[in-house]
Amino acid sequence: MSKLRGSTALSRRKNKENKPSSPQEESKQTNTANDKNRTEKITTVSTRRNVTTGSSPVPLRLTANDKAELNLWLGELEAAAGKPISSAKLMRGLIHMRSKINTKKLIDAIKDVS
């Protein structure tokens, strides 16, 4: 990537306020303004983490009893982890460990609740 070039809004505003009256003063102010711009620049770095807002939401329809059970489970997980855990985080965790889940027991549990 090439370096960004140009002036910032702050430097343009300062230059506009300090308009020189003669060409000699203009060259002096330009040199001092360039020195100030070098020391006053602010660089921000942003990182993107787990952006899920670009995808459509997945509906999760639960009965009142299932919602209560889910909330109890989330409460237990939060107490063990020491930080908040949402139902979406729980689902992502289950998806991540799908190879470790016993498929036969999972199918039997699904049949029992259906």
Side-chain angles (χ1 to χ4, degrees), residues 45-64:
V45 178
S46 63
T47 58
R48 293 179 58 153
R49 297 183 62 221
N50 295 338
V51 178
T52 58
T53 56
S55 62
S56 61
V58 177
L60 186 63
R61 289 180 235 133
L62 299 172
T63 64

Side-chain angles (χ1 to χ4, degrees), residues 13 30 37-38 48 103 111:
R13 193 175 319 123
T30 305
N37 286 343
R38 288 183 190 145
R48 293 179 58 153
T103 308
K111 287 178 182 176

Side-chain angles (χ1 to χ4, degrees), residues 16-35:
K16 193 174 189 180
E17 290 172 357
N18 299 327
K19 286 265 181 169
S21 58
S22 70
Q24 292 173 348
E25 289 180 21
E26 182 178 339
S27 65
K28 288 180 185 177
Q29 282 189 342
T30 305
N31 291 339
T32 57
N34 288 340
D35 293 339

Side-chain angles (χ1 to χ4, degrees), residues 59-70:
L60 186 63
R61 289 180 235 133
L62 299 172
T63 64
N65 288 339
D66 291 337
K67 285 181 185 178
E69 288 291 327
L70 176 64

Side-chain angles (χ1 to χ4, degrees), residues 37-107:
N37 286 343
R38 288 183 190 145
T39 59
E40 293 180 11
K41 287 185 180 178
I42 298 173
T43 304
T44 58
V45 178
S46 63
T47 58
R48 293 179 58 153
R49 297 183 62 221
N50 295 338
V51 178
T52 58
T53 56
S55 62
S56 61
V58 177
L60 186 63
R61 289 180 235 133
L62 299 172
T63 64
N65 288 339
D66 291 337
K67 285 181 185 178
E69 288 291 327
L70 176 64
N71 288 332
L72 287 173
W73 190 17
L74 288 173
E76 292 170 5
L77 291 173
E78 287 177 1
K83 61 181 185 177
I85 297 176
S86 65
S87 57
K89 285 182 182 178
L90 173 62
M91 289 300 296
R92 286 194 295 267
L94 290 172
I95 291 169
H96 182 72
M97 62 178 289
R98 77 177 180 195
S99 62
K100 298 175 186 172
I101 296 174
N102 187 339
T103 308
K104 289 182 182 179
K105 287 185 179 180
L106 179 62
I107 292 171

